[in-house]
Amino acid sequence: MPVGNKWARGLYFTAGIVLTGIGIVGAFLPLLPTTIFLIMAAWCFGRSSPRFEAWLLNHQQFGPPLRAWRSSGAIPRRAKYLAFTGMAAGYVIFYVSASPRWPTALAVAVVLLCSALYVGTRPDGA
């Protein structure tokens, strides 16, 4: 349901466009996620443009995972594996390139492990 304030709708719409663009770029770049940005874009479009929201939800490629997330909080198994791989690769790159002190390395590892646990406990989707 779109918000009533014209300025808020404009901000939500702009955010939806930017998030959609990032999501589309993520479809082609291995370490940039796609679905999370499109979930956020659909949420923004739901508050600003029902037409764009419907376009995303009915898109041949992007629609099924978005609908699965909306209906049951589901994440496709393939997306889970890609997320786990991306988190692991991101941590290795962070650790090797930044040479962090152990408290920082541990904090980042804990955040990524909690994120992986959240993703892994979601039901399997489309």
Side-chain angles (χ1 to χ4, degrees), residues 10-27:
L11 288 174
Y12 281 124
F13 183 77
T14 302
I17 293 292
V18 169
L19 291 165
T20 300
I22 294 170
I24 290 170
V25 169

Side-chain angles (χ1 to χ4, degrees), residues 3-89:
V3 294
N5 183 318
K6 179 180 177 180
W7 292 102
R9 269 196 327 270
L11 288 174
Y12 281 124
F13 183 77
T14 302
I17 293 292
V18 169
L19 291 165
T20 300
I22 294 170
I24 290 170
V25 169
F28 299 100
L29 295 178
L31 293 178
L32 184 64
T34 298
T35 307
I36 188 63
F37 289 108
L38 296 178
I39 288 170
M40 292 186 295
W43 184 84
C44 288
F45 287 141
R47 280 138 190 81
S48 63
S49 174
R51 187 174 123 228
F52 276 82
E53 178 187 30
W55 175 79
L56 264 183
L57 293 175
N58 295 316
H59 190 276
Q60 182 178 354
Q61 184 73 26
F62 304 134
L66 293 174
R67 290 190 304 271
W69 176 259
R70 278 208 173 164
S71 68
S72 60
I75 300 174
R77 186 169 291 164
R78 181 175 181 274
K80 288 181 185 183
Y81 294 148
L82 289 172
F84 298 148
T85 302
M87 286 184 238

Side-chain angles (χ1 to χ4, degrees), residues 31 86-99:
L31 293 178
M87 286 184 238
Y91 185 79
V92 169
I93 291 168
F94 157 74
Y95 192 83
V96 169
S97 67
S99 301

